[in-house]
Amino acid sequence: MIYQRSSALFREAQTYIPGGVNSPVRAFKAVGGTPIFVKEAKGAYLYDEDGNQLVDYIASWGPMILGHAFEPVIEAITDRARKGTSFGMPTEIETTLAKLAVEMVPNIDKIRFVNSGTEACMSAVRLARGYSGKEKIIKFAGCYHGHADAFLIQAGSGAVTFGSPSSPGVTQGTAKDTLLARYNDLENVEALVKANAEEIAAVIIEPVAGNMGCIPPSPDFIKGLRELCTQQNILLIFDEVMTGFRLAPGGAQEYLGINADILCFGKVIGGGLPVGAFAAREEIMKFLAPEGPVYQAGTLSGNPLAMSAGLAMLSTLNEKGEIFGSLEKKTTYLHEGIAGVLESHGIIHQINREGSMISVHFTEDPVVDFDSAKAGDNETFKRYFHGMLKQGIYLPPSAYESYFLNDALSYDDLDATIKALERVAPDLK
Ligand SMILES: *Cc1c(COP(=O)(O)O)cnc(C)c1O
């Protein structure tokens, strides 16, 4: 495959944009080589600036769950754009989307829209602190909750890909209020809670982790975490920026059968436009300005163009609930296909999957937390990534990211992916 134009565009971008990208993982630092510049996309396929067609497994890191340029979303955006794109005044469509989200997601009464997952998580923690009057939070190593200061303590995703577990610029003062626990290790959380009695406002977690590869929670862990938080009067925050409207219409709460106290959304909820949201029951949400004292605001929050994309997306997912099951079936098929090829070539690996999230780790031991994810062999991963790319398969360019399947992927695409791996596998030894 030729990447002439992508290479030229990347060089030009580096002149004007730090590292040539507006979000670090896009730069291919973890796998080497030149990032692919996208020209357009439709359904399950990306078309790059050199004219290559790629089968897409990242779906814009989740939002494009129905495939690219999904017609109802495009129509909604186009129609809305003609009527003006931002007013700084309330619009009806904000309520329409809020109502639909509240109907789809269990255990929430109200929702506030923001512009990104980062904003959602940042605001959720402020709300938890304001509501509880306590200051510390617990997060899990390898979980990513966006790039707000409080979360850049052993964060997953791009923050780990770049080997800067805690970023310069995050103050000691901030870091001391974020306590770090091990994913899938309830005793570890219990010990932290005990050592910081009465000081912990919230535990924030990706209910199915997707930023250190895909790591499902063990049932005992997630259930135990819920019970611990209830007993100790700690708010449990599910960061459902990845899992929301992806694992089930009601997200991870519905999928796992466990309720959180505050929910964070992003990605799918915006249908490919910049939207985040956080939500909770009335007694918590009423602490938020202008009703309550916890301040939170945004010039473009609830932007009508973004809301129209989100509404078209969620309406489709709400009406066609069978999409979730069909996506899970496709992901299982891919899982079995990949496992079959890697096993037949004797390549040491682990595959983690939950719903339509899946990741492959080149390591011997089960991947259940950040440390076991880090044990994966990155050299093998690089060969895997670039090998698949040459075959026209676009996987996440980092071992610490989950794949996100989209509804436009056909079984032919999945078969082509498995066949591609047949050709790549001999190089993975
Ligand atoms: C992507 C992501 C975020 C951050 O969302 P942005 O829109 O990139 O700010 C937060 N939490 C999780 C779990 C995510 O996957």
Side-chain angles (χ1 to χ4, degrees):
M1 235 177 244
I2 294 168
Y3 304 118
Q4 239 165 352
R5 209 172 138 66
S6 274
S7 300
L9 288 171
F10 188 47
R11 269 195 306 277
E12 174 88 346
Q14 283 171 299
T15 311
Y16 300 105
I17 300 171
V21 292
N22 284 305
S23 195
V25 174
R26 295 177 199 167
F28 272 28
K29 278 263 160 77
V31 288
T34 295
I36 312 289
F37 276 60
V38 182
K39 191 167 186 187
E40 54 190 285
K42 181 72 193 167
Y45 307 118
L46 302 163
Y47 300 92
D48 74 9
E49 288 283 356
D50 288 286
N52 302 306
Q53 176 182 307
L54 302 164
V55 181
D56 181 21
Y57 282 99
I58 69 167
S60 183
W61 301 106
M64 317 319 295
I65 190 169
L66 299 173
H68 291 281
F70 181 68
E71 215 44 62
V73 172
I74 301 305
E75 267 168 36
I77 296 173
T78 322
D79 189 45
R80 180 64 249 181
R82 293 207 180 84
K83 298 171 184 155
T85 57
S86 183
F87 312 111
M89 294 161 71
T91 51
E92 182 178 5
I93 193 169
E94 295 163 72
T95 311
T96 313
L97 183 58
K99 181 164 181 270
L100 179 57
V102 167
E103 279 164 13
M104 288 174 78
V105 176
N107 188 40
I108 60 170
D109 296 321
K110 283 186 177 163
I111 186 164
R112 167 67 58 86
F113 292 111
V114 293
N115 304 290
S116 67
T118 295
E119 267 189 78
C121 296
M122 182 184 91
S123 308
V125 163
R126 185 182 305 137
L127 178 59
R129 285 173 166 153
Y131 175 79
S132 67
K134 297 185 276 186
E135 294 196 352
K136 289 192 196 305
I137 59 166
I138 292 178
K139 85 171 273 288
F140 293 86
C143 280
Y144 182 69
H145 306 293
H147 64 89
D149 286 4
F151 305 124
L152 288 181
I153 319 290
Q154 288 211 17
S157 187
V160 49
T161 306
F162 292 92
S164 49
S166 356
S167 169
V170 176
T171 65
Q172 292 297 322
T174 298
K176 83 170 180 12
D177 285 331
T178 300
L179 308 173
L180 208 57
R182 226 178 352 257
Y183 203 83
N184 272 326
D185 186 343
L186 187 60
E187 279 175 24
N188 184 227
V189 186
E190 284 167 348
L192 277 178
V193 168
K194 205 165 170 197
N196 296 274
E198 307 297 312
E199 285 186 278
I200 298 169
V203 172
I204 184 165
I205 188 167
E206 290 180 61
V208 171
N211 283 294
M212 41 185 167
C214 171
I215 302 187
S218 83
D220 286 349
F221 168 70
I222 199 75
K223 190 162 164 278
L225 192 62
R226 171 68 276 178
E227 283 163 7
L228 177 68
C229 287
T230 305
Q231 278 162 17
Q232 301 292 325
N233 215 9
I234 293 169
L235 293 164
L236 180 59
I237 305 175
F238 272 5
D239 175 355
E240 295 224 39
V241 172
M242 269 182 185
T243 55
F245 310 100
R246 171 165 286 276
L247 291 181
Q253 285 191 119
E254 177 183 338
Y255 188 86
L256 300 170
I258 302 279
N259 282 347
D261 300 304
I262 305 180
L263 286 304
C264 306
F265 298 103
K267 299 190 171 123
V268 176
I269 200 172
L273 264 67
V275 181
F278 58 106
R281 294 182 308 272
E282 168 67 17
E283 73 248 34
I284 297 175
M285 288 308 267
K286 74 173 186 214
F287 267 71
L288 209 56
E291 230 184 322
V294 176
Y295 193 69
Q296 190 280 322
T299 301
L300 289 171
S301 293
N303 171 270
L305 198 60
M307 295 291 102
S308 70
L311 183 60
M313 178 67 87
L314 294 204
S315 304
T316 307
L317 292 173
N318 192 39
E319 285 155 20
K320 299 191 180 159
E322 69 277 7
I323 285 173
F324 297 94
S326 125
L327 268 174
E328 179 149 16
K329 255 170 83 182
K330 286 179 189 171
T331 314
T332 308
Y333 185 84
L334 183 69
H335 181 168
E336 286 164 0
I338 293 176
V341 175
L342 294 179
E343 269 156 34
S344 72
H345 286 84
I347 293 149
I348 292 167
H349 71 280
Q350 297 286 333
I351 301 176
N352 283 0
R353 175 178 53 83
E354 197 72 76
S356 54
M357 296 162 65
I358 179 170
S359 59
V360 179
H361 304 254
F362 297 102
T363 177
E364 204 139 7
D365 299 317
V367 174
V368 296
D369 58 14
F370 194 32
D371 285 337
S372 44
K374 282 194 294 190
D377 178 17
N378 204 48
E379 291 308 311
T380 308
F381 183 84
K382 284 183 194 173
R383 290 203 297 279
Y384 169 64
F385 171 78
H386 281 292
M388 294 299 278
L389 184 57
K390 278 202 192 96
Q391 303 287 332
I393 310 296
Y394 195 78
L395 302 177
S398 159
Y400 297 106
E401 306 287 352
S402 171
Y403 314 3
F404 298 100
L405 270 66
N406 71 79
D407 191 54
L409 282 163
S410 67
Y411 280 90
D412 282 349
D413 295 324
L414 301 177
D415 283 334
T417 305
I418 295 161
K419 281 218 182 73
L421 184 58
E422 274 289 359
R423 293 188 280 271
V424 171
D427 287 340
L428 302 181
K429 291 254 196 179

